[in-house]
Amino acid sequence: MAYAYLFKYIIIGDTGVGKSCLLLQFTDKRFQPVHDLTIGVEFGARMITIDGKQIKLQIWDTAGQESFRSITRSYYRGAAGALLVYDITRRDTFNHLTTWLEDARQHSNSNMVIMLIANKSDLESRREVKKEEGEAFAREHGLIFMETSAKTASNVEEAFINTAKEIYEKIQEGVFDINNEANGIKIGPQNPMPGPTGPHNAGQAGGSCC
Amino acid sequence: MNRKDSKRKSRLELNCQSVNSNGVTITVKSRHSHSRRRRRMTCPSPAEINKALASVTLEQLGKSCSLEELMEKCIQSFDVDGKLWKNEDTIHMILVMHSWVVPSAEFARKLLQLYPFLSSAQNHRKMQICHFLRFWANQYPEVFRLDNELEELMGDFWEVVKDRRRSSDHRQSIDSTCISDQEITKPYPESPSFNKKRKVSLLFDHLEPSELADHLSYLEFKCFCRISHLDYRNYTLQSSLREIPRLERSVNLCNSISQWVQLMILNRPTPQQRAEVFTKFIQVTQKLRKLQNFNTLMAVIGGLCHSAISRLKETHSYLSHDVLKALSEMTELLSSSSNYSTYRRVYNECGGFKIPILGVHLKDLVSLNEALPDYLDNGKINVSKLQSLYQHILELRQLQKANPPFKANNDLILLLTPTTPIKPPEEIPDWTPVEPLQLDPDSLSHTVDQMVKCVFQFYDPHQRGFISREDFEKVVSSLPFSCHILEKDREGPVSHQEMTSYFMKASRVCSRLGLPFLQSLVEIRLREMPLCANCVRNFPSYSMCLLPSLSRVSSKYGAAYHS
């Protein structure tokens, strides 16, 4: 399917915080359990619409590799957005955010949009990390914050889409160099005009009314 | 089936014949078997094996089965004489994979319920069940050893059977020191290349890249071989390394190598010297690539691409074109883009000995497990899920059986070996240094006390009785990388006692190098800290010995110190 942009995301955070669940919830289990070992198990692409434009989100999950630091770092290269996830029922996953953030900031491009996700909001009775703490951490480090539940799907769509919106806005502002794929953004095949998309272009493609 | 396919299948048969005792035999349709011996041996890749395996087994089992159906399948595959006459691959798959959905003890209990205790007839069936149980115990003794409930259950069962039949016929089996387990923990071939007369330098500068690559690979393969299918299961299901020491050790080795690579570069005072070390590591990666040791390759490249190194513009300016080219080729090879497609392609093309990037394959397991349900809508076990997972595990198991194309040098291994103390005594690897330097315990503890005192004087000027975790890590980072992993991911400040026990452990690791060696490293660490005015006031002597190179290291690793 044709798309105007492709954004590359990564999902990071401690083991067991629900990264894969979030992704599966968002991509609606659209994935190919590939038997061919040469391709691996791949899932995590979905089309969304922002401002009337089709945007393909390609999401890379680091689940299973969290403790291999040199491996997780290799994901940062060429990512436009990152979901940094912790589990509200496990304080240690919140405590480790700084390490993850440092790693992400050190190894990604400086424009990468990072969203802080407090997952498992359905487990209110076992909560160890208050919402306010998450918000404070996000404020302090300039992140967008959201509480989600991969189980009930609460806020999952919003988490991915808001990150995409933020990236999209940065493209509009010309912050991202979209000609450089190392930034995690690719222009779709039907969009031959590279460069920051001005309001003129947006109007054309999206057919917006005003 | 076209010709190519049939050829592939028959090659497959041959290969599987040859690895039969390792528990990966594949039974194939009988019309192929007559041609088995006539085929010339060509080695199929694990991918080919797995692909064929999947199709064969799935045909037989269907997409889903109840637990009872799975068991029945197993029982029916044995004849009265205990010969496994069909479905061997399926049986292995069931024995390895059932515990992903049902605990082994429960599996055994259900199985024992099928045993017709009360019936005096049905001897045939009784024999079949016994043979199956014996097969399980012989092929996978580690499962029994680690699961008390299961072991007890089986023990009771054999007792009953023995009593009833008054014959020891059925009872020759449960022997936890069986063949296949020893296969896994078999002693690694001792290093015959080690020429005792040759004086071996332990200095990084004196080691050839190929020597480094060989020895790192030796360690890597050791760690890799110890990981059992149960470890993969536990990791995937509990998604944490806790209580999986063998896997943890492998992960730690990887991370330590990465860190060590950075340290070796950052330890050099001038950009030119750093570029030399960088170049040497690139040569190491080229050798690792030749050895097909992708895991260590990832660790070293990970170290070289770390921002602590990649930000060193001047150092990079001293790198030759060839080195930069090699670096970019390696980065490309290991890139995570398109789900590691380049790596996966290259890896699958490699035959013979190879060490996979464990993380990539663990990720596959985690992804599969996450994405597919254990049970289908009909309430039956999702066999195709188990089969998919099994493919990955089987592939990793097969790789553990390869013969490594390198040999080790004991002294060097000592320098590089991570010797994490592991709880059960039988887990202490045979390559652990066996002859620690005979240190008189009193002088050892005295020296360690001194070191601890030194560290606390420096990092705990207000005598709070502990130092911060960051400071602790700074001290540790200056030790040989084998010491880095002695401490698990603990939290919070470090007390006198913890520091002491750490140094005691580290002194054991470095025993051959001697405690003074360790001591000097700690001293260097303390000296190298860029001191603030306050510290200089407290420790004027240290401010005299600032080493420019090392203070650069510590500005990377010690950034938190003054904050």
Side-chain angles (χ1 to χ4, degrees), chain B residues 85-269:
Chain B
W85 63 285
K86 61 174 183 182
N87 304 333
E88 191 167 345
D89 57 327
T90 313
I91 303 225
H92 279 291
M93 194 279 282
I94 294 169
L95 288 179
V96 171
M97 299 308 296
H98 70 268
S99 61
W100 287 63
V101 280
V102 182
S104 283
E106 198 182 323
F107 184 83
R109 199 172 296 120
K110 286 246 166 74
L111 191 58
L112 297 186
Q113 281 166 7
L114 297 176
Y115 190 87
F117 283 106
L118 300 174
S119 161
S120 55
Q122 295 196 53
N123 266 341
H124 183 87
R125 186 166 174 78
K126 286 181 182 171
M127 297 289 270
Q128 281 181 316
I129 293 181
C130 286
H131 288 312
F132 173 47
L133 288 169
R134 192 172 302 152
F135 182 82
W136 185 13
N138 283 332
Q139 296 286 328
Y140 301 97
E142 69 275 15
V143 178
F144 292 81
R145 209 178 48 230
L146 296 171
D147 188 336
N148 291 337
E149 194 186 347
L150 177 64
E151 197 171 25
E152 233 165 75
L153 201 66
M154 296 308 290
D156 292 350
F157 171 74
W158 291 118
E159 285 304 318
V160 174
V161 170
K162 198 167 115 189
D163 286 352
R164 292 209 180 218
R165 297 186 56 88
R166 294 207 188 113
S167 134
S168 60
D169 180 33
H170 282 196
R171 177 75 181 98
Q172 352 143 323
S173 58
I174 306 269
D175 172 6
S176 46
T177 56
C178 294
I179 327 120
S180 65
D181 186 43
Q182 282 177 350
E183 199 92 17
I184 295 170
T185 56
K186 72 184 167 195
Y188 200 77
E190 215 30 76
S191 42
S193 77
F194 180 41
N195 179 354
K196 286 190 176 114
K197 282 177 192 158
R198 195 185 138 208
K199 183 115 176 153
V200 179
S201 166
L202 297 182
L203 289 175
F204 175 78
D205 290 345
H206 296 177
L207 288 167
E208 290 298 317
S210 64
E211 282 178 294
L212 275 171
D214 278 357
H215 291 95
L216 289 173
S217 300
Y218 175 92
L219 291 176
E220 189 76 66
F221 191 55
K222 286 299 300 177
C223 281
F224 174 62
C225 283
R226 284 174 197 285
I227 303 169
S228 88
H229 65 97
L230 298 170
D231 297 330
Y232 295 127
R233 181 200 65 196
N234 292 344
Y235 181 73
T236 310
L237 298 184
Q238 78 187 35
S239 60
S240 146
L241 282 174
R242 258 167 224 143
E243 315 281 312
I244 319 179
R246 286 168 296 202
L247 190 57
E248 190 176 20
R249 180 195 283 271
S250 168
V251 173
N252 283 345
L253 178 66
C254 243
N255 289 338
S256 303
I257 290 174
S258 250
Q259 208 180 359
W260 175 70
V261 166
Q262 295 162 47
L263 273 168
M264 292 316 282
I265 295 174
L266 294 172
N267 264 323
R268 300 302 154 117

Side-chain angles (χ1 to χ4, degrees), chain B residues 525-551:
Chain B
R525 157 61 49 195
L526 296 185
R527 270 191 223 128
E528 79 200 23
M529 296 307 300
L531 297 173
C532 65
N534 186 38
C535 301
V536 175
R537 233 184 356 262
N538 289 334
F539 302 98
S541 61
Y542 286 122
S543 62
M544 306 301 289
C545 348
L546 279 181
L547 303 172
S549 66
L550 292 170
S551 59

Side-chain angles (χ1 to χ4, degrees), chain A residues 8 15-16 20-21 24 29 31 33-43 60-77 90 92 95-96 103 106-107, chain B residues 47 50-51 235 239-242 251 254-255 258 298-299 302 305-307 331 336 338-340 344 348 357-360 362-364 366-368 370-372 388 391-392 395 491 556:
Chain A
K8 184 184 155 187
T15 41
S20 301
C21 287
L24 277 168
K29 306 222 177 214
F31 109 110
V34 188
H35 285 277
D36 191 345
L37 294 170
T38 52
I39 299 169
V41 186
E42 202 174 334
F43 57 107
W60 293 105
D61 179 14
T62 56
Q65 306 181 317
E66 298 87 346
S67 40
F68 297 86
R69 299 323 281 255
S70 54
I71 296 187
T72 49
R73 280 180 202 125
S74 73
Y75 284 90
Y76 295 120
R77 242 163 57 110
R90 279 169 52 207
D92 57 326
N95 294 342
H96 294 157
D103 240 25
Q106 258 180 39
H107 295 274
Chain B
N50 290 322
K51 208 181 278 178
Y235 181 73
S239 60
S240 146
L241 282 174
R242 258 167 224 143
V251 173
C254 243
N255 289 338
S258 250
M298 178 61 117
C305 293
H306 191 278
S307 61
T331 325
S336 60
S338 306
N339 205 8
Y340 300 94
R344 287 179 197 271
N348 279 292
I357 304 176
L358 203 51
V360 172
L362 289 176
K363 178 175 182 275
D364 282 345
V366 170
S367 308
L368 268 178
E370 195 68 47
L372 299 173
S388 309
Q391 281 178 57
H392 292 266
E395 154 129 33
E491 298 284 320
K556 161 69 194 123

Side-chain angles (χ1 to χ4, degrees), chain B residues 17-37:
Chain B
Q17 279 291 95
S18 66
V19 290
N20 192 350
S21 63
N22 296 330
V24 282
T25 307
I26 294 171
T27 35
V28 276
K29 287 169 191 151
S30 57
R31 64 196 168 91
H32 287 299
S33 51
H34 67 277
S35 61
R36 198 174 283 180
R37 273 164 205 86

